[in-house]
Amino acid sequence: ATHAAVVLAAGGSTRLGRPNQLLTRNGEALVHRAARLALASDASRVLVIVGALTDDVAAAVGDLPVECLVNATWNEGLAGSVRIAADALAAHDHATLLLTCDQPALDVAHLQTLLAASRRAPSGSAATRFGDRVGIPAVVAPSLLRAALAVQGDRGLRDVLNAAGAGVVACDAPELAHDIDTPDDVVAAVARGWLDPPE
């Protein structure tokens, strides 16, 4: 039995003005890359939560053995997508790997680091360190994923992961702080070789 994985890919990329899920690195859409890395982590199931541009984003992962679930209220923030994932994985009694499409520097090695750390952690959970907090990508124990069912808005799991006593192991991957929210972020990622130049 192994972990499940959830790719959170429902956002509208409003500040960017174009869907970050469909930006490419080496010709591969970021949502496809995230789903491929999730599969490469040996996940038993990979769920891709789609919302904005449902058809385009689902088509981008159409060649992969993943399940696409639609978050019709994607514009209300990340929490709704996490709730859909938690519902779909209600019977899953192992850890769940959560990742997004807007970290083009992500690689499978960091996912393996998180999974290994979660297996050592008494809490069964590990997350990526960002300054003095932790966030996604993260590996969460079933109890933490269930806690996500109460989450609202755009905070996703951040409050749950950072709660005192959550016992989440922090793993370093400083390059993942470079996410893709604005056109300037795209320029910076292209300069580092993490994204293809936009057409």
Side-chain angles (χ1 to χ4, degrees), residues 17-147:
R18 55 186 296 180
N20 64 25
Q21 300 94 320
L22 301 176
L23 294 172
T24 59
R25 177 173 175 172
N26 301 328
E28 181 181 24
L30 292 186
V31 64
H32 187 282
R33 191 168 185 276
R36 179 176 58 79
L37 294 175
L39 289 164
S41 75
D42 291 331
S44 55
R45 284 175 75 186
V46 176
L47 309 180
V48 178
I49 313 297
V50 297
L53 298 158
T54 295
D55 295 346
D56 291 348
V57 176
V61 294
D63 63 324
L64 296 173
V66 299
E67 302 162 59
C68 286
L69 300 178
V70 178
N71 175 8
T73 57
W74 58 267
N75 53 341
E76 291 173 18
L78 203 55
S81 291
V82 176
R83 280 199 300 277
I84 287 170
D87 275 336
L89 294 170
H92 177 76
D93 55 359
H94 298 281
T96 298
L97 168 65
L98 296 165
L99 58 163
T100 63
C101 304
D102 64 352
Q103 295 168 315
L106 182 65
D107 59 34
V108 76
H110 181 58
L111 300 182
Q112 302 289 14
T113 297
L114 287 169
L115 288 161
S118 73
R119 287 191 284 267
R120 292 193 307 269
S123 67
S125 301
T128 305
R129 186 193 318 270
F130 297 103
D132 54 0
R133 294 173 70 75
V134 294
I136 291 177
V139 176
V140 296
S143 58
L144 255 189
L145 191 62
R146 282 192 277 279

Side-chain angles (χ1 to χ4, degrees), residues 18 23 186 190 196-199:
R18 55 186 296 180
L23 294 172
V186 172
V190 169
D196 301 333
E199 289 143 24

Side-chain angles (χ1 to χ4, degrees), residues 129-195:
R129 186 193 318 270
F130 297 103
D132 54 0
R133 294 173 70 75
V134 294
I136 291 177
V139 176
V140 296
S143 58
L144 255 189
L145 191 62
R146 282 192 277 279
L149 289 170
V151 175
Q152 301 291 329
D154 205 19
R155 299 196 63 89
L157 274 175
R158 198 174 312 153
D159 291 347
V160 176
L161 290 171
N162 286 284
V168 176
V169 176
C171 299
D172 288 307
E175 65 280 9
L176 296 189
H178 299 279
D179 57 0
I180 305 297
D181 280 329
T182 67
D184 286 349
D185 295 338
V186 172
V187 171
V190 169
R192 290 189 169 90
W194 294 337
L195 279 181

